Amino acid sequence: MTLWNGELPYYPQPRHPASFSVPLLIVILVFLCLAISFLLILPGIRGHSRWFWLVRVLLSLFIGAEIVAVHFSAEWSVGWVSTNTSYKAFSAARIRAHVGLHVGLEGINITLTGTPVQQLNETIDYNEQFSWRPGKNYAEDYEEALEKGLPDPVLYLAEKFTRSSPCGLYQQYRLAGYYASATLWVAFCLWLLSNALLSMPVPLYGGLAFLATGTFALFSVFVFASISSVPLCSLRLGSSALTTHYGAAFWVTLATGVLCLLLGGAVVSLHYARPSALRTFLDLNVKDCSNQARGGSPLNFHNPIHKQFGASDFTISTNL
């Protein structure tokens, strides 16, 4: 291939991964580096607390990584179909292809792969991204796709998600993704707060923060699932219909929310039932904090200077 006016022929647009993106890769690498760093210092922790720290840190890093990573995943709602469909506008040629639709919180990805890939003297392997995240305009992405002359199946699915489409998919998925993303960021902040509180002698509040984290994670799932209550228009490609279902990101977020609720409930329950076991697991070397907080340990103050000068000694006793 040679360049023409600074662009590659046949396929000048950049390729975008359907279910994997650069921000997602960055998030995974950051949390993976944190996990590896912790594993390197793990041998320096003595005794049984080593294994307690191992479970705590790795489980917490998994929850935090999942909450952030699903923002950039296109696997919230997915669908695919194999069909015999038209290929280009103003052409009667038809192709046999596998069409995929991947919907995320910030946009959609559409894939078109020929079966076989080589048909009509072309390589039919398209992967297009259309985004509605802040700073991006879905209408502009769709106009660029029209100017590039992308295949009919890609333009057909992309048109269904435009603001002017009578299907209303744009408003449904965009609003669902916006509120789901907002609640997930709240869950991430609560996750940070819960980790800080569980490192202090206040495990009860850390457990409550974990419960709040799980609640907001589940709320994001329910917000995205609200689109299923609205009848969606049919997506027909040739003689086949494309139907969508919840993807891996949806189910992993649901599982993470339930996990946070279980962990938060366990911390709160142990705080009242077995506080010593909870302090052992959290490696909190705090003694008699609860007694001091309830005023059970008096503090005595005396002044030895009075005894030096023959004055009668006196003691001040107070309860905190």
Side-chain angles (χ1 to χ4, degrees), residues 74 77-85 97-103 108-113 152-158 160-161 167 169 173 231-246:
S77 182
V78 297
W80 51 83
V81 65
S82 294
T83 183
N84 188 359
T85 180
H98 185 80
V99 184
L101 174 63
H102 307 260
V103 184
I108 64 173
N109 262 316
I110 303 173
T111 60
L112 175 68
T113 305
D152 282 354
V154 176
L155 296 177
Y156 170 78
L157 291 177
K160 293 294 183 180
F161 285 86
C167 289
L169 296 178
Y173 279 96
L232 303 179
C233 62
S234 177
L235 303 176
R236 301 200 63 86
L237 294 163
S239 58
S240 304
L242 188 149
T243 58
T244 59
H245 59 273
Y246 298 127

Side-chain angles (χ1 to χ4, degrees), residues 32-70:
L32 189 61
C33 290
L34 292 176
I36 294 175
S37 300
F38 171 75
L39 292 177
L40 291 177
I41 66 174
L42 185 64
I45 303 177
R46 299 179 179 179
H48 296 290
S49 60
R50 174 188 305 171
W51 309 111
F52 295 154
W53 276 100
L54 176 66
V55 174
R56 279 185 58 192
V57 173
L58 293 186
L59 193 60
S60 180
L61 286 177
F62 167 76
I63 293 174
E66 191 280 334
I67 292 176
V68 178
V70 292

Side-chain angles (χ1 to χ4, degrees), residues 28-317:
I28 294 176
L29 289 178
V30 168
F31 280 90
L32 189 61
C33 290
L34 292 176
I36 294 175
S37 300
F38 171 75
L39 292 177
L40 291 177
I41 66 174
L42 185 64
I45 303 177
R46 299 179 179 179
H48 296 290
S49 60
R50 174 188 305 171
W51 309 111
F52 295 154
W53 276 100
L54 176 66
V55 174
R56 279 185 58 192
V57 173
L58 293 186
L59 193 60
S60 180
L61 286 177
F62 167 76
I63 293 174
E66 191 280 334
I67 292 176
V68 178
V70 292
H71 284 87
F72 311 104
S73 173
E75 296 294 318
W76 280 82
S77 182
V78 297
W80 51 83
V81 65
S82 294
T83 183
N84 188 359
T85 180
S86 61
Y87 180 52
K88 292 279 189 175
F90 310 108
S91 174
R94 301 181 70 86
I95 61 171
R96 185 72 183 176
H98 185 80
V99 184
L101 174 63
H102 307 260
V103 184
L105 302 183
E106 298 182 340
I108 64 173
N109 262 316
I110 303 173
T111 60
L112 175 68
T113 305
T115 53
V117 177
Q118 296 291 337
Q119 297 184 49
L120 305 178
N121 295 325
E122 292 188 27
T123 300
I124 303 175
D125 188 11
Y126 293 84
N127 192 341
E128 301 300 323
Q129 182 181 22
F130 302 86
S131 177
W132 53 64
R133 67 175 181 267
K136 296 287 290 185
N137 191 325
Y138 185 92
E140 292 181 356
D141 290 345
Y142 179 66
E143 290 177 1
E144 291 179 2
L146 290 174
E147 294 175 357
K148 294 173 183 176
L150 294 181
D152 282 354
V154 176
L155 296 177
Y156 170 78
L157 291 177
E159 189 273 335
K160 293 294 183 180
F161 285 86
T162 57
R163 187 188 297 269
S164 58
S165 174
C167 289
L169 296 178
Y170 177 82
Q171 292 296 334
Q172 295 170 20
Y173 279 96
R174 179 178 175 275
L175 289 178
Y178 175 81
Y179 288 110
S181 177
T183 52
L184 280 174
W185 283 120
V186 175
F188 178 72
C189 294
L190 290 170
W191 170 78
L192 293 175
L193 179 63
S194 65
N195 281 275
L197 293 175
L198 289 175
S199 300
M200 303 177 184
V202 283
L204 174 61
Y205 300 108
L208 295 176
F210 248 122
L211 289 174
T213 302
T215 301
F216 275 92
L218 291 178
F219 185 70
S220 68
V221 171
F222 295 148
V223 168
F224 191 84
S226 64
I227 61 176
S228 62
S229 61
V230 181
L232 303 179
C233 62
S234 177
L235 303 176
R236 301 200 63 86
L237 294 163
S239 58
S240 304
L242 188 149
T243 58
T244 59
H245 59 273
Y246 298 127
F250 178 91
W251 295 114
V252 172
T253 305
L254 178 62
T256 302
V258 174
L259 177 62
C260 290
L261 291 181
L262 293 177
L263 292 176
V267 171
V268 174
S269 300
L270 288 175
H271 173 77
Y272 290 105
R274 299 283 303 277
S276 59
L278 179 61
R279 287 197 299 271
T280 301
F281 180 77
L282 298 178
D283 198 21
L284 298 176
N285 297 322
V286 180
K287 299 180 180 179
D288 299 329
C289 284
S290 58
N291 292 333
Q292 292 184 11
R294 292 192 297 265
S297 299
L299 297 180
N300 297 322
F301 302 92
H302 65 277
N303 192 347
I305 300 179
H306 288 270
K307 185 177 292 186
Q308 178 180 356
F309 291 97
S312 60
D313 190 17
F314 65 93
T315 300
I316 301 177
S317 179

